[in-house]
Amino acid sequence: MAAPLITIAEARERVLGAARPLGTERVAIGEAAYGRVLAEDLTAVGDVPPFPCSAMDGYAIIDGESDRTLTVVGESRAGTPAAHTLTDGGAIRISTGAAIPDGATAVIPQENVEVRDGAIFTLVAVREGEHIRHAGEDMRAGETVLRAGTTLGGAELGAGVAAGAAELAVYRRPRVQVLSTGDELRAPGEPLGPGEIHNSNAPMLDALATADGAVTTTPQRLPDDRAATERGLAGALETNDVVIVTGGVSVGPHDHVKPALAALGVEEVFWRVALQPGKPTWFGRRGSTLVFGLPGNPVSAVVTFSLFVRPALAALQGRSEARLLESEAVLGTAVRRNPDREQALRVRLERLGGALVATPNGAQGSHIVTSLLGADALAFVPAGVGDLEAGAAVTLAPLPH
Ligand code: AMP
Ligand code: MG
């Protein structure tokens, strides 16, 4: 007797239970850090801005009334502060971001003065501190600017540099290899013989894993042969943190993945999830190496990748928000329920009136790759008898692209 099917939530919990963050490394704060996950809190080395500076192009002056004539005695440019201290009756030409000269208490924008050979005439009154950016207004020395677990996008890199960092401690990227089983599989563009199909899974999953931060090894195809399957898996297990193998995890006479993994000492954590598409999904581990046996049908492979592999890749990289945010929508059409399994529909989302409406994106067979094209999300239809009516609430999960 096969073990009973487990729920999606239970399967995900078991995956996350096995996925511990990998080690950390230090990388330069430029492009090498982009998309990586910060492993340590980052604190500001100094104040940002480091010195009081001007918010406008204009003149640094002493605050006061309108209609004053002030002699221009120098200039403070970005990167080149003024050499002189400002005294009463004087003004110093200043650029945005340039240091406020000693003695100055405000900046008057250039549009608020008239320039009269070597002097300015103020057209408005200026309050103390006007148009001055204070030191530490953005960040204070010692302040935590980025928390461990933050994914480093462009803004985070900019803030990190401003905070004074040159290198960042980040989690190591998971090493991932995709293996596809099937005698029928041909490489992209290869002519097809009788009964053959193109191997869509390998390039697709390899790309999705890369987009999720993995460093991938070139995918490998394995024939439907027990010894070859074991050899291929053995090699992949040696050098990777995560092995994703597609096909061959059902119970057909040519499904060799499970026995091969067992022989290689990969311990089964679960097999078969109450999910359509994606029932034969297998997950196991050998030490800290994770192995996902995903169903061969491309749609099943993408759905199970997004529900189980993605959260694992996020957890291995120490991502604090595991990107599992789920939201709700209402069904746009009635959907026939599966008595035993939750269905993950590929849907299009549309705002109609106040409601977010989820409509199945074409035929939902697990072999219909085109159901993924233009789909906005997965929508979950709980197991049950009869139809789930149009207008019923469904939860959503993101679909990788
Ligand atoms: P399996 O799980 O090996 O029984 O495969 C289930 C279905 O998915 C079969 O119709 C396979 O031909 C198909 N399939 C398996 N692997 C791939 C692949 N890499 N690309 C496209 N289709 C596949
Ligand atoms: Mg097969």
Side-chain angles (χ1 to χ4, degrees), residues 200-239:
S200 326
N201 287 347
M204 177 172 74
L205 296 175
D206 185 72
L208 294 179
T210 304
D212 279 344
V215 177
T216 62
T217 305
T218 308
Q220 201 186 336
R221 188 189 71 86
L222 304 175
D224 289 320
D225 168 82
R226 171 57 208 277
T229 301
E230 195 170 319
R231 268 197 310 279
L233 285 165
L237 282 165
E238 284 311 311
T239 52

Side-chain angles (χ1 to χ4, degrees), residues 232-274:
L233 285 165
L237 282 165
E238 284 311 311
T239 52
N240 290 286
D241 302 302
V242 176
V243 176
I244 303 171
V245 53
T246 67
V249 281
S250 295
V251 287
H254 307 293
D255 293 334
H256 302 290
V257 169
K258 278 170 22 87
L261 286 169
L264 291 165
V266 183
E267 174 200 339
E268 178 177 304
V269 178
F270 66 77
W271 177 47
R272 308 203 322 151
V273 181

Side-chain angles (χ1 to χ4, degrees), residues 12 30 61 84 113 125 144 229 236 259 264 267 281 315-316 324 357:
R12 202 138 74 176
I61 60 174
H84 308 292
V113 305
T144 301
T229 301
L264 291 165
E267 174 200 339
T281 303
L316 290 172
L324 298 179
V357 178

